[in-house]
Amino acid sequence: MTPSILPKLWQNGLRTTKSSLHPDCEYILQLEREERHCLQYIAEHDNNHSCLPFWDSVVCWPYAAVGEMINTTCPAVFSFWGNNTGAVSRNCTSIGWSRPFPPYHTACSVGDDVPIPEDSYFATVKLIYTIGYGTSLVFLFIAVVILLLFRRLHCARNYIHIQLFVTFMLKAVAVFIKDATLFASDDTNHCTLSTAACKASVAFCHYCVMTNFFWLLVEALYLNSLLLSSFHHYRRCLWGFGLLGWGVPIIFTVIWIGSRVCFEDTECWDINEDSPYWWIVKGPIVVSIGVNFILFLNIIKILIQKLNPRLIQFNNSDHYRRLTKSTLLLIPLFGTPYMVFNFLPDYFNVSVRLWFELCMGSFQGLIVAILYCFLNEEVQKEIHMRWLRWQDNSNGVVLPGAKGSQMDTHF
């Protein structure tokens, strides 16, 4: 079992220490110290005994004569699981040391509730989210090119969609950079790895995740403004949206970096459980999700009122139905499913969180690109018109109505 997969998995029984190390790494380094002391002890003593001293990965057993029974208390490392008051024994026999009795997990009260991770599980998770982020990155890039290439698709709504697409792309790139930095080798010890490169990759990843949530918030604010007919000065609002989506995450990321440098400069800043400074990043994300949820409820309320057959005007019926469709598509994007996990402890049901946030979340960008670009009727119509125009131009025919915008609004 390698240290690289341990920090996320022994949350339930670990105690907070006053050391500068994260408690998840404390017991690993403690075992390494005890192993060094044991090896030094072995080197300093002669080998003229029936049972030689040895290190069994937990306890250093001293030399003993045949027939002698050695008793030792549970090692201090078991205090991380709440108990080190038991005792373990071994007999020195003519053929060497016997097995420890009672076994460590019995004598030291380490029950089955201590999770034992498997490397294959994490390898599967990593493979799935690598495929998800890679696929999303390709489709998002194509979607951004399409929205930028066709001038008749240039409007405030698609401008905001492009920013959202870019945040999903940045998040995917940040995950790849972080994996390349932190998990470049299976032998990497994450309890001692502490380089500027790995810290920068973690900080960049947090920033990209924050921008993604804040541009989801911008999507909700924009749709809410359209329904309230308050989106008159769209250029000024777009500047405000840009500052909210890109600027606010920078502020909190810089504050978090300063806090880690000054007060908790441990490892690669990738272990955040039990850290009060983690809320500098998590807090704004949770707030944005909460505001998104409130805006979503408000949008549903407004749409129900405006779609009332007795109140709706014939000219606006299609407009509100399109907004209703957009709202239903935005349900998974408003962060509503994240409401459950973000208000629970970070160590709550780690396996489910990994599947939901990494595996399912990695395909979120792909879903966004499909819903807001490839299935968009305006995009499909523009691509179709461009294809017909190219065919007619190649045959020397000018397509009627080829000129002129199909979009009569900035929205």
Side-chain angles (χ1 to χ4, degrees):
M1 191 176 300
T2 61
S4 62
I5 61 175
L6 289 169
K8 287 282 185 183
L9 293 155
W10 269 291
Q11 302 293 329
N12 295 330
L14 294 177
R15 296 178 178 176
T16 302
T17 67
K18 295 182 179 180
S19 169
S20 60
L21 294 169
H22 190 278
D24 292 353
C25 292
E26 181 67 22
Y27 80 95
I28 296 175
L29 298 183
Q30 182 173 333
L31 283 176
E32 292 178 351
R33 288 194 297 268
E34 293 179 0
E35 181 181 12
R36 288 195 298 269
H37 293 159
C38 183
L39 295 178
Q40 183 179 358
Y41 170 82
I42 295 173
E44 292 175 352
H45 290 78
D46 56 57
N47 297 327
N48 298 325
H49 298 278
S50 300
C51 294
L52 301 177
F54 78 105
W55 170 255
D56 67 354
S57 300
V58 179
V59 172
C60 186
W61 294 92
Y63 56 83
V66 175
E68 187 176 1
M69 183 175 68
I70 302 298
N71 299 314
T72 182
T73 59
C74 287
V77 71
F78 284 100
S79 64
F80 289 98
W81 288 277
N83 181 42
N84 66 331
T85 58
V88 182
S89 303
R90 284 183 187 265
N91 285 324
C92 179
T93 67
S94 58
I95 59 174
W97 287 104
S98 68
R99 291 181 177 274
F101 61 91
Y104 288 117
H105 68 274
T106 301
C108 304
S109 299
V110 181
D112 296 334
D113 57 331
V114 177
I116 305 298
E118 296 183 2
D119 291 347
S120 59
Y121 172 77
F122 294 96
T124 302
V125 170
K126 185 177 180 182
L127 175 63
I128 293 174
Y129 77 70
T130 300
I131 295 174
Y133 281 123
T135 306
S136 297
L137 189 60
V138 172
F139 278 81
L140 287 166
F141 177 77
I142 297 174
V144 170
V145 171
I146 291 175
L147 294 180
L148 291 177
L149 184 63
F150 300 113
R151 295 190 59 184
R152 283 187 280 187
L153 296 176
H154 293 181
C155 62
R157 180 183 69 255
N158 287 338
Y159 168 81
I160 294 174
H161 289 343
I162 289 174
Q163 307 301 310
L164 182 63
F165 293 169
V166 171
T167 63
F168 276 109
M169 294 170 63
L170 287 176
K171 186 168 75 170
V173 172
V175 170
F176 291 145
I177 294 175
K178 182 180 176 182
D179 283 355
T181 306
L182 270 65
F183 305 106
S185 172
D186 293 336
D187 298 329
T188 301
N189 188 339
H190 289 263
C191 293
T192 57
L193 180 65
S194 182
T195 63
C198 73
K199 293 176 181 178
S201 67
V202 171
F204 178 65
C205 188
H206 288 333
Y207 171 73
C208 294
V209 171
M210 288 184 69
T211 58
N212 186 240
F213 278 101
F214 272 83
W215 274 102
L216 290 174
L217 175 60
V218 168
E219 289 275 2
L221 289 171
Y222 170 76
L223 185 54
N224 195 76
S225 299
L226 283 183
L227 290 172
L228 295 175
S229 301
S230 59
F231 202 72
H232 300 300
H233 306 288
Y234 77 97
R235 292 188 182 276
R236 186 184 307 170
C237 290
L238 290 180
W239 275 104
F241 287 157
L243 291 175
L244 175 63
W246 298 111
V248 173
I250 288 180
I251 296 174
F252 286 104
T253 303
V254 170
I255 295 175
W256 178 77
I257 292 174
S259 301
R260 292 301 299 249
V261 170
C262 296
F263 306 110
E264 200 176 39
D265 192 12
T266 58
E267 298 90 40
C268 271
W269 301 351
D270 57 325
I271 301 176
N272 298 296
E273 288 77 15
D274 300 322
S275 171
Y277 308 107
W278 174 230
W279 279 97
I280 298 175
V281 173
K282 184 178 179 179
I285 292 176
V286 172
V287 170
S288 70
I289 292 173
V291 174
N292 259 337
F293 184 72
I294 295 173
L295 290 173
F296 169 70
L297 296 178
N298 186 58
I299 291 170
I300 292 294
K301 176 183 176 181
I302 296 174
L303 286 174
I304 292 176
Q305 294 174 348
K306 291 185 178 292
L307 288 174
N308 189 327
R310 294 176 300 177
L311 301 177
I312 191 171
Q313 298 178 8
F314 178 77
N315 293 334
N316 293 330
S317 59
D318 292 338
H319 173 67
Y320 289 128
R321 288 192 176 91
R322 286 197 301 269
L323 291 178
T324 303
K325 182 180 178 181
S326 298
T327 302
L328 294 177
L329 293 177
L330 276 173
I331 290 176
L333 303 182
F334 276 2
T336 305
Y338 291 91
M339 291 286 291
V340 177
F341 286 105
N342 274 282
F343 291 100
L344 294 174
D346 288 331
Y347 53 78
F348 179 82
N349 210 330
V350 176
S351 298
V352 176
R353 292 181 71 107
L354 285 176
W355 278 100
F356 183 80
E357 296 182 357
L358 289 180
C359 296
M360 295 180 61
S362 64
F363 290 93
Q364 195 177 29
L366 172 63
I367 296 173
V368 171
I370 293 175
L371 292 178
Y372 286 93
C373 181
F374 301 110
L375 295 182
N376 186 289
E377 293 180 0
E378 293 174 349
V379 173
Q380 292 177 349
K381 184 176 181 179
E382 184 64 25
I383 294 176
H384 181 68
M385 291 291 293
R386 184 61 64 92
W387 171 253
L388 292 179
R389 186 184 307 168
W390 179 81
Q391 286 186 322
D392 291 335
N393 288 340
S394 63
N395 296 326
V397 179
V398 178
L399 187 67
K403 297 183 179 181
S405 175
Q406 297 290 332
M407 307 185 68
D408 56 359
T409 175
H410 293 294
F411 311 126

